[in-house]
Amino acid sequence: MADFETPALREYPVIPHLKRDATAGLSPFVAKPEHQERLGFPGELLDNWEDVAIAKMGELLEKYRALRVYLDSCVKCGACTDKCHYFIGTEDPKNMPVARQDLLRSVYRRYFTFAGKYFPRLVGARDLTREVLDEWYSYFHQCSQCRRCSVFCPYGIDTAEISMAAREIMDAVGLGQKYCNEIIGKVHKIGNNLGLPGPAMQDTLEGLEEDIKDDTGIDVKLPLDVEGADVLLVTPSADFFAEPHIDGLIGYAKVFHQAGISWTLSTYASEAANFGMFIGSYENMRQVSLRIRKAALDLGVKRIIFGECGHAWRVAYSFLDTLAGPFDFLDPRYPVPQHICEFTYDLIQRGALNLDRSANDHMVVTFHDSCNVARASRMGSMPGGQFIIPREVIKASCNNFVDMRPDTIHDQTFCCGGGGGLLTDDLMEIRVKGALPRMEALREVQQEYGVTHLAAICAICKSQFAKVLPYYDFPMDMIVSVHQLVSNAIQLGTKE
Ligand code: SF4
Ligand code: SF4
């Protein structure tokens, strides 16, 4: 499968032994000049990159006040050290969150603090050298910005923000990551991460309509660019072609059909994902978000609903209004934006859907809380809605549901290992190793309760698990979309 060893699942997870530099030099491919320049970054490493990097760091310290607080306030208590899935899986001490922060903090101290300027060795300050830059490139791309460490930090230091700042500085000097930057360029040019043009989308959607008709005998539509529809559905483009994502898309379509609510997808805003967040670029995040605003205005919709995608929901829930608002042209009776699980849950609560749980009786399901949904957003109006609502949708759709160990779910959930722009084959080793804690928790419920399926509401988690599960001897089709369960259970045409 690959030229690295898959970690053994441990019966009693313990703090790993340290393997110094175990993943040093493990880095993603560097962006090519055309990928960089399309996003407004220098094409390649600038001659005066050191000066530009320090100037950029100064700018970020002014712009993001929390960054300076995070860099100043760590007391090295150690509470975060064993909380990162990449440290647990790789045993490399630089993957301890505090050590990852120190890669940037040491340079911050050297150039921006009195003690670091005059007594660098006393305060662990160091010059920004090429060696340091390479270390940044490697280890800041071994952080999925999942924020698990921040849950355990008594000061709330958010390593994800530090990792985003580091990536922003690297882009500014011409050292960007190919995977993220190439994808963002495709969204700017075509509208989605895949570079899928409108006619190809139309073909795919028509094919799905035929599949649903063959399965159910019912004409369920997947409309595209329909002016005057009530709802604009913005969903990750993986929903148009990848497994199990596509089964989730079929589920959304069935829910809209059964609820009798007119909806549409958009070719212009055919991507919910927003990789601008992964590279810490406000401007790129804004441009991607503005496509959604324009599509909503052009189509004259009343509501915007997001499909199953973790970081897309984080950007939408937390920043959409700042990035692309105000959305005062939408119907004020509905939240802006709304999550598809929230929408389906509301219909279930009102008795508007007939769900036959026994349709999923061949499954024993557990649920993976996606980190961006769990720790960087909410859902619905109730506290903890982001944990409760997806579980309630699952439980309304199947009879057999169990949760994984409490310290691996809700706000303590482990990242799937592929978030934050790491879902690329050039980082397969870190992806497999980073998945270890989730795989261990999954093995426990498989052995104890006979769990057969792992449900998720994130496009990245679904793709990551489909790839990584076989490394740990689980079947790849064990991963399912939450709306795939709804799709199986929904009884079409049984309600007025
Ligand atoms: S944000 Fe997540 S991936 Fe990054 S250091 Fe913290 S726990 Fe690890
Ligand atoms: S838990 Fe917070 S204060 Fe303690 S070492 Fe980690 S980042 Fe520093």
Side-chain angles (χ1 to χ4, degrees), residues 89-109:
T90 66
E91 305 179 330
D92 186 325
K94 288 202 180 107
N95 274 325
M96 291 176 176
V98 58
R100 198 185 313 285
Q101 298 163 21
D102 276 354
L103 298 176
L104 196 84
R105 184 176 286 123
S106 54
V107 175
Y108 159 72
R109 284 199 173 137

Side-chain angles (χ1 to χ4, degrees), residues 230-231 261 302-305 327 330-338 342-343 346 350:
D230 279 350
V231 172
I261 293 175
K302 300 187 181 124
R303 308 166 65 175
I304 300 175
I305 294 181
F327 286 91
L330 297 174
D331 188 331
R333 288 174 301 163
Y334 302 102
V336 183
Q338 197 172 27
E342 199 179 339
F343 173 71
D346 181 54
R350 290 195 283 115

Side-chain angles (χ1 to χ4, degrees), residues 74-91:
C74 173
V75 294
K76 303 287 190 287
C77 71
C80 63
T81 51
D82 60 341
K83 303 303 185 293
C84 176
H85 49 294
Y86 293 119
F87 170 61
I88 295 169
T90 66
E91 305 179 330

Side-chain angles (χ1 to χ4, degrees), residues 20-299:
R20 193 171 291 280
D21 296 331
T23 53
L26 202 164
S27 307
F29 294 150
V30 172
K32 293 182 180 152
E34 64 264 31
H35 305 140
Q36 288 285 103
E37 284 159 4
R38 200 179 283 165
L39 306 194
F41 303 134
E44 48 196 29
L45 194 63
L46 297 167
D47 291 338
N48 63 338
W49 66 267
E50 298 96 329
D51 296 340
V52 175
I54 297 305
K56 186 73 185 176
M57 189 184 283
E59 180 195 319
L60 298 185
L61 289 165
E62 286 300 315
K63 200 157 69 170
Y64 308 131
R65 304 305 292 271
L67 180 62
R68 190 185 286 269
V69 173
Y70 294 153
L71 293 173
D72 279 337
S73 57
C74 173
V75 294
K76 303 287 190 287
C77 71
C80 63
T81 51
D82 60 341
K83 303 303 185 293
C84 176
H85 49 294
Y86 293 119
F87 170 61
I88 295 169
T90 66
E91 305 179 330
D92 186 325
K94 288 202 180 107
N95 274 325
M96 291 176 176
V98 58
R100 198 185 313 285
Q101 298 163 21
D102 276 354
L103 298 176
L104 196 84
R105 184 176 286 123
S106 54
V107 175
Y108 159 72
R109 284 199 173 137
R110 180 76 180 97
Y111 296 90
F112 295 94
T113 66
F114 178 84
K117 275 180 193 159
Y118 297 103
F119 315 104
R121 295 182 69 160
L122 278 182
V123 293
R126 58 183 186 161
D127 291 338
L128 179 56
T129 61
R130 180 65 211 234
E131 196 187 358
V132 170
L133 183 69
D134 289 343
E135 203 173 36
W136 281 12
Y137 192 72
S138 192
Y139 287 102
F140 284 117
H141 289 105
Q142 294 183 38
C143 168
S144 55
Q145 307 171 343
C146 77
R147 310 181 83 215
R148 187 170 196 268
C149 47
S150 70
V151 171
F152 297 89
C153 173
Y155 294 89
I157 295 172
D158 188 352
T159 318
E161 295 288 334
I162 294 174
S163 153
M164 286 172 196
R167 293 191 195 178
E168 195 170 356
I169 295 168
M170 288 189 280
D171 270 324
V173 301
L175 184 66
Q177 187 212 18
K178 176 175 184 284
Y179 176 67
C180 280
N181 292 3
E182 186 177 15
I183 278 179
I184 296 168
K186 280 185 199 161
V187 180
H188 291 333
K189 194 169 169 201
I190 297 170
N192 56 68
N193 287 4
L194 301 173
L196 201 65
M201 272 183 74
Q202 186 72 58
D203 275 0
T204 306
L205 298 176
E206 282 169 10
L208 292 178
E209 288 174 354
E210 284 167 24
D211 291 348
I212 300 171
K213 174 90 179 180
D214 290 347
D215 277 356
T216 65
I218 296 187
D219 282 314
V220 172
K221 296 290 172 205
L222 284 100
L224 184 63
D225 295 331
V226 174
E227 282 183 35
D230 279 350
V231 172
L232 168 64
L233 178 75
V234 186
T235 205
S237 56
D239 281 359
F240 301 126
F241 85 105
E243 286 287 353
H245 312 59
I246 205 161
D247 301 301
L249 176 61
I250 291 171
Y252 318 150
K254 289 183 180 174
V255 171
F256 283 119
H257 174 94
Q258 192 61 14
I261 293 175
S262 68
W263 67 291
T264 186
L265 293 155
S266 153
T267 45
Y268 184 74
S270 45
E271 184 58 71
N274 194 329
F275 279 28
M277 188 181 73
F278 296 156
I279 64 167
S281 168
Y282 182 89
E283 186 48 32
N284 279 286
M285 232 183 354
R286 194 175 76 88
Q287 285 180 38
V288 173
S289 299
L290 282 171
R291 295 184 79 94
I292 296 169
R293 177 188 179 82
K294 178 168 171 15
L297 280 166
D298 289 351
L299 294 168

Side-chain angles (χ1 to χ4, degrees), residues 316-385:
Y317 181 86
S318 302
F319 316 127
L320 190 65
D321 202 47
T322 311
L323 292 165
F327 286 91
D328 47 4
F329 57 92
L330 297 174
D331 188 331
R333 288 174 301 163
Y334 302 102
V336 183
Q338 197 172 27
H339 195 281
I340 188 72
C341 283
E342 199 179 339
F343 173 71
T344 301
Y345 173 71
D346 181 54
L347 291 168
I348 294 169
Q349 294 293 98
R350 290 195 283 115
L353 303 179
N354 244 0
L355 296 166
D356 174 10
R357 291 190 181 91
S358 70
N360 288 310
D361 272 356
H362 57 295
M363 300 181 181
V364 181
V365 179
T366 191
F367 178 64
H368 166 76
D369 290 279
S370 303
C371 47
N372 277 301
V373 177
R375 285 188 286 267
S377 75
R378 263 176 65 170
M379 202 184 286
S381 52
M382 68 187 102

